[in-house]
Amino acid sequence: MQYKNNGALPVTAPTLAQRFTGWPDLQQHQQRLQKTRLLDLFAQNPQRVNDCAIDAAGLHLDYSKNLIDKASLDTLVQLAQQAGLGKAIENLLNGSIVNNTEKRAALHTALRSPAPVIEAEAIADAFKRMGELVEKIHSGTWRGYSNNTITDVVNIGIGGSDLGPQMATHALKPFHTHPVRLHFVSNVDPSCLQDLLAHLDPSRTLFIVASKSFTTLETLQNAQAARRWLLASAPDESATARHFVAVSSAVQKAEKFGIQTANILPMWDWVGGRYSLWSAIGLPIALAVGMEHFNAMLAGAFAMDEHFRTAPLEKNMPVIMGLLGFWYQHFWQASTHVVLPYDHYLRFFPDYLQQLDMESNGKHVSRAGKDLPYPSGPVIWGAVGTNGQHSFHQLLHQGTHFIPADFIVTLQSHHKDCAEQHRHLLANGLAQSQALMCGKSLAQVEVELREQGLGEPDNQFLAPHKVISGNRPSNLIATVLLTPATLGALIALYEHKVYVQSVLWDINPFDQWGVELGKQLSGPIFDALSGNKSELDPSTIATIASYRSLSIK
Ligand code: F6P
């Protein structure tokens, strides 16, 4: 499948077949493998389960249920070498300007390194200040306007300033060390904030305004509404300083809002929004689990960084996952990838991954700005198991789309005396990956129906409906227990997988120009909705006219 962007750009980047000499070999591998059953690959190589496994940073990747064998994987690894992946990994980690459109490094890895390659002192100072803030709130030293302690913290942010902290705060629920309640407000829809505020006591609530730029409309609207709500109960404006902190690289803008300089934690332009949960943007996580566990999360991510840096490409977990996604995208017409965490605490992981992957690799031009003659990042989606099984898994098993899957499983539950119920969860996850692989043939279905006593004409009618083709690929990512360290490793694994794929596609994964247009256009539309003159297209003018005719205030 070739992606065409209506010829908008006159200059086209080289095709993947032009870039990679192994392309015809990969096409042949695909033709061979599409006639092969996954189960036959296990029969051909009794060592397959061991050969297709990687352990790193407390995670186990089993990629044996993929439509791949040694010859095809070797060719994919050669392709990665041809793409200069080894050097690209080095460039990412050493602080080279990998974000070439914004002329910046992407050094989120420095935040979790014991020896950061950039601004080591500033990073240490930021974490020290973050720890002090956490301690003040936990110990009750921080007081609100009526001298009450803080019971509720509301993180106001969107995109990377919301999804990562929210996902990790929920993922680490069993490690919450302090009874302070964490809430997340992102959407500009007033219902999002107002529904929450209805249950909160202003004198006991602290707001974190999390915005790298401190210009994001949604965040500023919510922050201003939160301040109005606070000041409606507080004796005077000075309450803002006692109920608002910020994480931002735009210190002056945060100060102007009324936040004290000492309560503004820094961010740097070399940390992208969707990679920022490792920075002070992770303050809600630290408030929930304490600095010790926050640091353990950083250490888990660092362990994955070290694996990514040092493991040979063919034994490198993010590299193998990146190559498999690339293989399916270009040779098996996969345009989406489903992520299925079988752990309640990871229920926000697919939402978080959507931004990480799609905002990074949803690009239409090469690093040099040339039109891509091939598809780039896939659509990422998913939901927590077993809920998805009673919803969209039907399509995974019998639909007509080819959808590779990642199953993420934890072997143990955090809850005492729940081992058996957790085993049901695990059994369901493993059963889904088994069903995707093995399916159920027509012959099997017919025998089953006959055994159930179904007569021949009915059997022949019903049997095709019950056939499951199988041979659908999946990865299994397992960890014994979801801890701060294994969560850190899991997030870093996906960050690096996304980077690997960006190198293969020769795109910049660290900018997000596509998000800007909607932001620019909403201003004039807001003006027109408010009754001011604006230059707009006829369709939007008509909608605005009907809005105004309804006199909605
Ligand atoms: O959605 C676009 C984006 O720029 C994201 O990359 C970022 O995470 C989000 O907006 C929030 O930005 P900020 O932290 O500057 O408010």
Side-chain angles (χ1 to χ4, degrees), residues 189-510:
D189 184 335
S191 308
C192 185
L193 179 69
Q194 297 304 330
D195 272 7
L196 172 65
L197 295 182
H199 303 284
L200 299 183
D201 172 352
S203 73
R204 294 183 179 277
T205 301
L206 178 76
F207 295 95
I208 304 171
V209 186
S211 178
K212 182 177 168 182
S213 59
F214 221 87
T215 58
T216 304
L217 174 103
E218 293 90 332
T219 302
L220 293 187
Q221 283 291 316
N222 278 322
Q224 282 152 10
R227 187 174 50 188
R228 285 194 297 275
W229 172 79
L230 171 78
L231 295 181
S233 317
D236 58 60
E237 293 246 338
S238 68
T240 305
R242 300 175 79 159
H243 290 267
F244 278 84
V245 300
V247 185
S248 185
S249 57
V251 177
Q252 284 179 351
K253 291 193 174 94
E255 284 169 343
K256 213 166 152 206
F257 181 89
I259 300 172
Q260 285 189 342
T261 316
N263 297 328
I264 303 168
L265 296 177
M267 271 198 78
W268 300 274
D269 66 357
W270 43 265
V271 183
R274 54 195 172 274
Y275 300 88
S276 65
L277 70 94
W278 316 103
S279 71
I281 287 287
L283 178 61
I285 311 169
L287 280 168
V289 300
M291 282 309 279
E292 202 181 316
H293 290 315
F294 184 80
N295 287 333
M297 187 182 78
L298 298 184
F302 175 68
M304 183 53 73
D305 296 341
E306 281 298 276
H307 166 77
F308 187 48
R309 187 175 68 81
T310 57
L313 298 183
E314 67 280 7
K315 283 280 164 208
N316 196 309
M317 204 182 278
V319 172
I320 293 296
M321 283 176 59
L323 283 172
L324 287 168
F326 180 88
W327 167 239
Y328 292 129
Q329 172 111 314
H330 299 291
F331 295 92
W332 299 79
Q333 282 75 48
S335 54
T336 86
H337 189 105
V338 69
V339 179
L340 305 165
Y342 275 70
D343 191 308
H344 173 72
Y345 294 124
L346 285 174
R347 63 194 180 283
F348 292 107
F349 197 65
D351 305 68
Y352 159 77
L353 268 192
Q354 285 189 320
Q355 187 201 12
L356 174 67
D357 199 316
M358 297 200 278
E359 199 169 64
S360 297
N361 283 343
K363 305 290 164 63
H364 73 125
V365 293
S366 68
R367 291 178 68 81
K370 295 184 179 167
D371 199 7
L372 292 183
Y374 46 82
S376 59
V379 174
I380 302 293
W381 59 290
V384 72
T386 59
N387 294 0
Q389 289 174 217
H390 298 273
S391 159
F392 55 79
H393 281 227
Q394 164 63 32
L395 182 141
L396 296 180
H397 292 295
Q398 287 192 311
T400 51
H401 299 276
F402 180 90
I403 305 171
D406 287 353
F407 288 88
I408 304 172
V409 300
T410 51
L411 306 186
Q412 288 175 8
S413 167
H414 278 286
H415 298 281
K416 279 200 191 114
D417 306 325
C418 292
E420 190 177 320
Q421 195 171 338
H422 190 83
R423 219 175 300 138
H424 278 295
L425 172 73
L426 187 57
N428 268 277
L430 298 182
Q432 288 298 307
S433 73
Q434 188 188 33
L436 284 171
M437 173 173 74
C438 301
K440 198 182 261 189
S441 68
L442 185 63
Q444 279 175 305
V445 173
E446 285 173 347
V447 169
E448 250 181 42
L449 290 175
R450 253 175 243 127
E451 279 171 5
Q452 287 163 16
L454 202 73
E456 262 334 288
D458 287 342
N459 189 326
Q460 273 179 27
F461 166 72
L462 192 55
H465 294 272
K466 299 190 92 174
V467 168
I468 295 176
S469 66
N471 240 22
R472 299 189 174 197
S474 66
N475 289 317
L476 182 79
I477 299 157
T479 188
V480 176
L481 190 67
L482 188 65
T483 63
T486 52
L487 176 70
L490 183 69
I491 301 168
L493 167 64
Y494 276 93
E495 284 180 349
H496 295 323
K497 175 208 157 174
V498 166
Y499 181 66
V500 166
Q501 295 192 327
S502 78
V503 174
L504 302 177
W505 289 317
D506 189 30
I507 57 183
N508 177 4
F510 299 114

Side-chain angles (χ1 to χ4, degrees), residues 103-157:
K103 302 200 173 16
R104 291 174 189 164
L107 271 174
H108 42 283
T109 51
L111 296 165
R112 56 219 193 193
S113 164
V117 297
I118 192 168
E119 302 203 49
E121 272 178 36
I123 295 171
D125 184 58
F127 284 141
K128 187 168 159 275
R129 289 179 56 206
M130 183 168 152
E132 285 164 2
L133 195 56
V134 170
E135 168 55 22
K136 272 189 205 163
I137 293 161
H138 283 185
S139 66
T141 318
W142 185 292
R143 297 289 165 125
Y145 63 79
S146 58
N147 214 28
N148 280 336
T149 55
I150 299 299
T151 54
D152 292 85
V153 176
V154 182
N155 188 78
I156 300 179

